[in-house]
Amino acid sequence: VQLQASGGGLVQAGGSLTLSCAASGRSFSTYVMGWFRQAPGKEREFVATIRSSGSIYYDDSVKGRFTISRDNAKNTVYLQMSSLKPVDTAVYYCAADPKGDYSGSYYRNYGMDYWGKGTLVTVSS
C-alpha cells in the first residue's frame, strides 16, 4: 500500500486546513485509515482513525475541531482541521491497515502497518 499525503501549509491560529491522502490498492474501502502527527522534538501521536464501517475515533485533543472522512471511490482519506492552534503544528502522516479492523484505541497504542511521507502543518499565533 502506498500513501501520499498532501494539503499541508502555513495557517494562522483559528484557521482551517484540509489534508488529503491518496492510497493505492483495489480494496481501499476495506482499509482502516488513520492520521497521526509528530510535532518538533516530540514523539508521533495519534490523531484519528476511520474504519471501513465508517466508525470514527478521535484523540481528545482534536475532537470537535478535526473531522476525518473517506471517499472510497477516490481511494482518499481526508482530515478537515478547523480552529487550528499553534500546538497543532506538526508533520501529519496518514496511515493504513489493509488487513485488520481494530478499534481506534488499538491503533493509538500500536500504530498502523503502512505510512505515508507526511505533510507539514504550521499554525502561526
Side-chain angles (χ1 to χ4, degrees):
V1 176
Q2 294 183 326
L3 303 170
Q4 181 64 55
S6 61
L10 174 64
V11 63
Q12 288 189 332
S16 300
L17 206 60
T18 297
L19 306 181
S20 301
C21 175
S24 65
R26 297 182 178 180
S27 303
F28 174 81
S29 63
T30 68
Y31 299 175
V32 180
M33 299 298 298
W35 289 96
F36 292 72
R37 66 186 180 184
Q38 187 167 18
K42 295 189 176 181
E43 293 187 354
R44 187 177 62 200
E45 64 178 15
F46 173 89
V47 175
T49 52
I50 183 167
R51 299 166 75 170
S52 59
S53 64
S55 177
I56 289 171
Y57 181 79
Y58 294 105
D59 183 77
D60 285 347
S61 66
V62 306
K63 201 174 293 183
R65 300 189 299 122
F66 290 11
T67 302
I68 188 171
S69 62
R70 65 192 299 160
D71 185 335
N72 291 333
K74 296 182 178 180
N75 277 26
T76 300
V77 64
Y78 303 96
L79 186 68
Q80 295 174 277
M81 305 182 293
S82 62
S83 301
L84 282 161
K85 307 173 183 179
V87 295
D88 294 317
T89 294
V91 176
Y92 283 72
Y93 297 91
C94 79
D97 181 356
K99 295 183 178 179
D101 186 22
Y102 302 108
S103 67
S105 58
Y106 173 91
Y107 294 112
R108 172 199 294 278
N109 292 327
Y110 299 109
M112 303 184 88
D113 294 334
Y114 295 90
W115 299 85
K117 287 188 178 181
T119 184
L120 176 62
V121 173
T122 303
V123 184
S124 64
S125 57

